[in-house]
Amino acid sequence: MATPDQARQEVSGLHARLAEHNYRYYVLDDPVVPDAEYDRLFRRLQELEAQYPELKTQDSPTARVGDVPLSGFASVSHEVPMLSLANAMDDDEARSFDQRLMQLLEVDQIEYNVEPKLDGLAISILYEQGKLVRAATRGDGTTGEDVTQNVRTIASIPLTLRGDACPRILEVRGEIFMPKAGFNALNQKQKEKGEKTFANPRNAAAGSLRQLDPRITAARPLDMFFYAAGRVEGVELAATQSERLAQLRDWGLKTCPDIDVAMGIDACIAYKEHIGQRRDTLPYDIDGVVYKVNSIELQQTAGSVSRAPRWAIAHKFPPQEEMTVVNAIDVQVGRTGAITPVARLEPVFVGGVTVTNATLHNKAEIERLDVRVGDSVIVRRAGDVIPEIVSVYKQRRPDNAAAYAFPTHCPVCDSEVVFDDGGAIGRCSGGLFCQAQRKESIKHFASRKALDIEGLGDRLVEILVDEGLIEDVGDLYSLRKEQVAKLERMADKSAGNLIDAIDASRETTLPRFLFALGIPQVGESTAAALAQHFGTLDRIESASLEDLQIVDDIGPIVADNIHTFFDQAHNREIIARLVGAGLNWPQIEARRDDLPLAGKIIVLTGTLSGMSRSNAKAALQERGAKVTGSVSKKTDYLVAGEKPGSKVDKAEQLGVTVLDEQGLQTLLGDE
Ligand code: 5U1
């Protein structure tokens, strides 16, 4: 336990830090620490104030929440203060809350109204004679900011209440939030415009609502769920929270569809688990659930303590964002040479697991964040998504932290790093010369959808390459059992099994083999299309860029990747070794050269009156023709229907025969 002097000092430090965080969170909408860090500081202050009540001052952050409103918005006093909720960080704390309440209320079971806790902004809206007259943020609970103009722009908030039985005065509270889909679309748009993106839906909602120009708010996808009434005149409110929510709905106010009623704390915890499982698929962001005593009479008996009702609690999920320190920034080289920077982190428990690495995606992302070794950062891990850094807490940056210099040479093979046009993505130019790319390409070659070599997992590939037993996929088929058996954690039997699995993979299919080669952007379906179109590996290897583009779904970029791959001597050499080692596949059914339109390349354009374009395409293909999307020198015929567009001009320039519908029928042999 801290001595009184230590406690005094610590309390004063906590006041300053919490005041700063409150200002950033409530006033600037630009928090620099995750909620979990804020909650920890807040709880520590509460703990010290409980130990030393003389240290609890009127201006303590525990006595009020929030801070002064921005000068741009008028102040609004809440006649009925806007309360905040106490938190339960785990099931035990939730059970203690229930125990305390049962004692206080002298009952042996409590019925709760249970609600998702939205991660948005608390708002109070005043309706007079059924008309929306004012909307205010929560602010410090007694004084908020007037955001009426902006709130009026949110489509789901009624400007007039429904029905004849609505109250003369209704002050109603709830949460404004940005649905996840709207948030993703907004961030995408912001990126495209080169403007600042938002770290999460809550920040986006806050930033959108606190705009001095309501037209900006109007363009943002905001929504609101209502959950409580403040001041009410001219109507009797129902006797339970759940019935009150039904009343709000009757007046046209939107409530969360996932609210329920639970009898006793076990049912509340079961509800929390259930909502927790659905969390990733809910259309809105939540950070926990709220349990509220359902009976209003019991709520009144329980009453409130300074800032929170005794009859409600927020049962929080483990935080998805946490603060930690970047110990190093490394780069990983992928199969196609893409260089991905990775932040090595001081281990931190977030989203239910200990996280030690976070992806930094690419060079552009490092520059956007300006993340440096030594920085304190907010790391986010939501669901099964790879952890990522959301923002950097620059105030804590060590003086000597240098800007990160993206490597100009591959850290594995020292080949030059080349960048895409925008300079965002760096790629090692070493190809299969690069050991990292070789390892990744072997892992890919052995993977399930490629040659499916059982037992040849990622770790074993690393060992085989590190031990110098293989350099590339071509070496796999000359591996011997005795060599493998000598490796760490390999017994005679497992070595034998591996060699058998490698042997078995010699019998494959052409699509699998093509996919296994790891040609950039050639996935399973492109590999299958290539095999089907050309029939043999030889034909694919010698296909021109134009030949390749005839294949369905292969455009100029993928065609270029395929062409370049087969153009490189070391790739051809590896393929020759694989074939020499006995890799084989069944013959693909030969092209039907006897069909009337075999080998003909035809383009369709404009509207056909006699049949749909897809029927025409199918009919031509049945007769052996290739139907492609664009006119080139290789095109044999352009079939032009009504309103054909520019393809006719191009065909004429290139000397390609243009046919009308009559000509098509003749081609099909139907006339
Ligand atoms: N779902 C929900 N969130 N939330 C936040 N209900 C709820 N109730 C609150 C707050 C601050 O306050 C009540 C005490 C009205």
Side-chain angles (χ1 to χ4, degrees), residues 28-48:
L28 301 184
D29 295 328
D30 185 20
V32 289
V33 290
D35 292 355
E37 167 83 352
Y38 180 92
D39 287 345
R40 243 190 321 271
L41 298 175
F42 197 91
R43 287 177 147 239
R44 176 66 183 150
L45 181 57
Q46 281 178 319
E47 200 178 293
L48 289 169

Side-chain angles (χ1 to χ4, degrees), residues 532-543:
Q532 197 54 51
H533 179 85
F534 291 101
T536 69
L537 180 60
D538 277 352
R539 284 207 193 117
I540 299 169
E541 281 182 309
S542 53

Side-chain angles (χ1 to χ4, degrees), residues 274-296:
H274 176 65
I275 290 283
Q277 280 159 11
R278 293 177 52 209
R279 185 179 185 180
D280 289 343
T281 56
L282 289 175
Y284 48 83
D285 234 16
I286 56 173
D287 60 356
V289 290
V290 183
Y291 310 143
K292 292 177 182 168
V293 172
N294 204 19
S295 152
I296 304 297

Side-chain angles (χ1 to χ4, degrees), residues 352-367:
V353 297
T354 300
V355 167
T356 50
N357 300 313
T359 180
L360 285 164
H361 300 289
N362 52 43
K363 180 167 176 269
E365 178 71 354
I366 293 201
E367 283 165 3

